[in-house]
Amino acid sequence: FLGAFTNGKQVPNYRLDTEVREGDLQGNLILIGGPTVNMVTRRINSILPVFIDPKGSAKIRSSLSGKVYKEDEVGMISIVDNPWDTRRGSKILVIAGNRFQGTRSAVLAWIKKLDRIMAGNLNDRKVLSKVVRGYDMDGDGVIDDSEILE
């Protein structure tokens, strides 16, 4: 899915969070995983409108609705201005979840419901941040669909 946006470049356009250097932070970024598993997400987590609370067990908090989501299958998607690159107008896409299931839910929502994600949050349409919940529709123990909660 993401490969469709690379303009046919054959070079790797990805890095593990442990491989990222300060100069790598200045362009458009896609961050997968929450602040406990991704060091770059940890650095930006506090400025996200929907974020993963780093205190205690994983839970997603929305500053837009004031709600807290604790379920493992809940994920979040946020697109924000890149604070490390104020001159170029770069963006950061964060896709994360309370646990692996929540991250999977968010990835599925990004792929299947991109138009609804780009419509903004239900509480503030100007903010591109969503909370999603995943569902195991066929009972095999794997999240295979998602619902946008806000």
Side-chain angles (χ1 to χ4, degrees):
F1 178 80
L2 292 175
F5 302 104
T6 62
N7 296 328
K9 292 182 181 179
Q10 297 299 317
V11 296
N13 288 332
Y14 62 88
R15 287 185 178 60
L16 296 175
D17 61 326
T18 56
E19 299 172 334
V20 172
R21 303 295 173 245
E22 287 300 314
D24 298 327
L25 298 174
Q26 295 179 3
N28 292 315
L29 301 173
I30 299 172
L31 307 177
I32 308 292
T36 57
V37 298
N38 187 317
M39 294 183 334
V40 182
T41 302
R42 182 180 307 144
R43 291 178 63 182
I44 195 169
N45 189 51
S46 65
I47 70 163
L48 299 174
V50 174
F51 62 97
I52 298 180
D53 191 336
K55 299 174 190 145
S57 62
K59 54 188 167 262
I60 292 175
R61 290 189 178 271
S62 171
S63 61
L64 302 166
S65 68
K67 293 181 181 178
V68 176
Y69 302 89
K70 299 178 182 179
E71 301 86 2
D72 288 351
E73 63 277 356
V74 174
M76 52 81 61
I77 301 166
S78 285
I79 301 172
V80 296
D81 292 330
N82 184 335
W84 296 299
D85 187 16
T86 56
R87 295 173 290 130
R88 291 182 34 207
S90 298
K91 301 286 185 188
I92 297 178
L93 165 63
V94 180
I95 299 175
N98 280 341
R99 304 263 182 230
F100 172 77
Q101 299 96 319
T103 301
R104 181 177 175 89
S105 301
V107 168
L108 287 171
W110 178 256
I111 292 169
K112 293 182 174 185
K113 300 174 182 187
L114 184 58
D115 57 331
R116 292 189 51 209
I117 290 165
M118 298 309 290
N121 187 282
L122 299 176
N123 298 291
D124 185 344
R125 293 289 184 191
K126 293 177 275 188
V127 179
L128 296 178
S129 288
K130 294 286 193 178
V131 178
V132 302
R133 175 180 287 127
Y135 294 98
D136 174 12
M137 300 302 286
D138 57 10
D140 66 355
V142 177
I143 301 290
D144 45 30
D145 201 2
S146 61
E147 165 191 27
I148 295 175
L149 301 177
E150 67 171 81

